[in-house]
Amino acid sequence: MENTDFNHIAEKISQPLQILITTHSNPDGDAIGSSLALATYLKKKNHSVQVMVPDPYPDFLAWMTGHEEILVFTSDRAECINAIERADMIIAADYNNLGRLNDAAHFVRHSKAIKVLIDHHLNPSEEFDYLISISRISSTSEIVYNIIEKMGDRHLLDKEIAECIYAGIITDTGSLSYACNYVETYIIMAELFRLGIDGEHLHRLIYDTYSESRLRLLGYSISDQLVVLPEYHTAYITLSKNDLERFDHQIGDTEGVVNYALSIKDINLAALFMERDGIVKVSFRSKGSFAVNTLAAEYFNGGGHRNAAGANCSTTLEETILKFNQILPLYQTMLKSVY
Ligand code: 5GP
Ligand code: MN
């Protein structure tokens, strides 16, 4: 935990505080897992803790300890604003700039609370007082494990915290298939099992809870909506508002769809374009050295990790896809050899 503000943060939390843990919009397994693991831990340290998300999280994450108490800004706005105003400390877990809180960002920016970032994305913004920002680590959940250990609080780790950390690591690494080439991740995994988690059961809770319409949407995405561009080693899937309505789309239903496009041999860049509430949500995935966070930031005002990034575009679906097609020639050479 070198080059972080760990010592400052440790000192700040040595007194009981009112702590608000926040995470990014479209919360994923690591967002919810790291936030709830931290919440349970900080409660054991006698802090008063609340977790807030900008918008709803998928049902397949609604089993982690403490999830019932999460405040959702889009539906509990007044309560969220109140929690922001009351907080002594606001923790940003699993995101690197307050803009990713959408409408809640304004209130957090204007709060007088100490702002702490705990995250594994590159380039944290300057809106935070203290940072634990380590991009090499698989997930924010893994960082949370490290923090608890470094605080000398191993004895406070329990099965419930371990389950949240497991969910975060598993979902951010595609079940230990990327962003996990360090031995530390596996040592922590082993510790989570020692704490009593049932990995097989948790994996099922996360991945084997499809509704029929979700599975059919996946089938349709692949058989009807997949475009493959072999000359650019690229494949992408487009889902319009109509498509999503037809398959009764629920939050989280398109999670993982983009990975199927990337699973084709010699395809090194994959994208999913989804029309949603007047914006286009884009997911990028890549193999090897091809950095989709750079592409997302330069052309779509987004960001993320080297091999998994995203953006929210205010252009139409057609305009967004046209732009994507126009920039591919710029990357043709880089897309050819990524290993
Ligand atoms: P997903 O495609 O699963 O929604 O997102 C993949 C990763 O891209 C996320 O973990 C996050 O790091 C990043 N990401 C997704 N959407 C956005 C966005 O709108 N802005 C930024 N800066 N990053 C995003
Ligand atoms: Mn993460």
Side-chain angles (χ1 to χ4, degrees), residues 28 97 100 121 255 281 283-285 302-305 308-312:
D28 56 16
N97 75 79
R100 298 212 61 214
H121 294 86
E255 205 73 40
K281 181 173 158 38
S283 286
F284 295 110
R285 297 292 185 273
H305 309 280
N312 286 286

Side-chain angles (χ1 to χ4, degrees), residues 1 6 30 33-34 37-38 41 118 132 137-158 161-166 169 184-195:
M1 216 145 287
F6 176 84
D30 190 31
S34 61
L38 256 182
Y41 165 66
I118 299 176
I132 295 180
I137 294 188
S138 74
S139 54
T140 304
S141 299
E142 187 177 334
I143 298 178
V144 169
Y145 182 96
N146 289 329
I147 291 172
I148 297 173
E149 200 167 53
K150 176 131 174 133
M151 288 288 294
D153 287 332
R154 272 181 81 101
H155 61 286
L156 296 182
L157 284 163
D158 59 21
I161 294 176
E163 288 178 339
C164 296
I165 293 172
Y166 173 88
I169 295 178
E184 289 85 350
T185 309
Y186 297 88
I187 293 172
I188 289 171
M189 264 304 176
E191 291 300 329
L192 301 181
F193 278 83
R194 259 198 262 277
L195 286 161

Side-chain angles (χ1 to χ4, degrees), residues 105-120:
H106 166 82
F107 300 95
V108 171
R109 281 199 185 104
H110 288 88
S111 130
K112 291 192 180 69
I114 302 163
K115 297 185 189 74
V116 172
L117 173 130
I118 299 176
D119 184 39
H120 68 135

Side-chain angles (χ1 to χ4, degrees), residues 34 137 186 203 214 220 229 278 289 300:
S34 61
I137 294 188
Y186 297 88
H203 205 273
R214 179 178 176 186
Y220 169 77
L229 305 170
S289 60
F300 299 93

Side-chain angles (χ1 to χ4, degrees), residues 66-204:
H67 80 88
E68 309 91 337
E69 290 159 27
I70 294 177
L71 292 177
V72 182
F73 194 84
T74 48
S75 45
D76 317 312
R77 191 181 165 97
E79 222 178 317
C80 286
I81 294 171
N82 199 315
I84 294 168
E85 285 170 355
R86 269 201 327 263
D88 304 311
M89 175 182 280
I90 297 180
I91 298 179
D94 197 40
Y95 66 101
N96 60 359
N97 75 79
L98 292 177
R100 298 212 61 214
L101 290 177
N102 298 352
D103 290 348
H106 166 82
F107 300 95
V108 171
R109 281 199 185 104
H110 288 88
S111 130
K112 291 192 180 69
I114 302 163
K115 297 185 189 74
V116 172
L117 173 130
I118 299 176
D119 184 39
H120 68 135
H121 294 86
L122 286 169
N123 310 321
S125 77
E126 287 171 8
E127 303 158 294
F128 303 96
D129 300 302
Y130 301 110
L131 287 87
I132 295 180
S133 164
I134 315 174
S135 63
R136 180 180 90 87
I137 294 188
S138 74
S139 54
T140 304
S141 299
E142 187 177 334
I143 298 178
V144 169
Y145 182 96
N146 289 329
I147 291 172
I148 297 173
E149 200 167 53
K150 176 131 174 133
M151 288 288 294
D153 287 332
R154 272 181 81 101
H155 61 286
L156 296 182
L157 284 163
D158 59 21
K159 186 176 163 208
E160 284 68 38
I161 294 176
E163 288 178 339
C164 296
I165 293 172
Y166 173 88
I169 295 178
I170 281 294
T171 53
D172 256 25
T173 61
S175 299
L176 299 177
S177 67
Y178 52 78
C180 57
N181 257 344
Y182 294 99
V183 69
E184 289 85 350
T185 309
Y186 297 88
I187 293 172
I188 289 171
M189 264 304 176
E191 291 300 329
L192 301 181
F193 278 83
R194 259 198 262 277
L195 286 161
I197 66 162
D198 180 344
E200 290 177 19
H201 176 61
L202 299 181
H203 205 273
R204 273 202 201 100

Side-chain angles (χ1 to χ4, degrees), residues 46-64:
N46 295 321
H47 299 287
S48 167
V49 187
Q50 180 69 61
V51 176
M52 180 191 88
V53 295
D55 43 24
Y57 56 92
D59 271 351
F60 62 79
L61 301 174
W63 52 267
M64 287 181 239

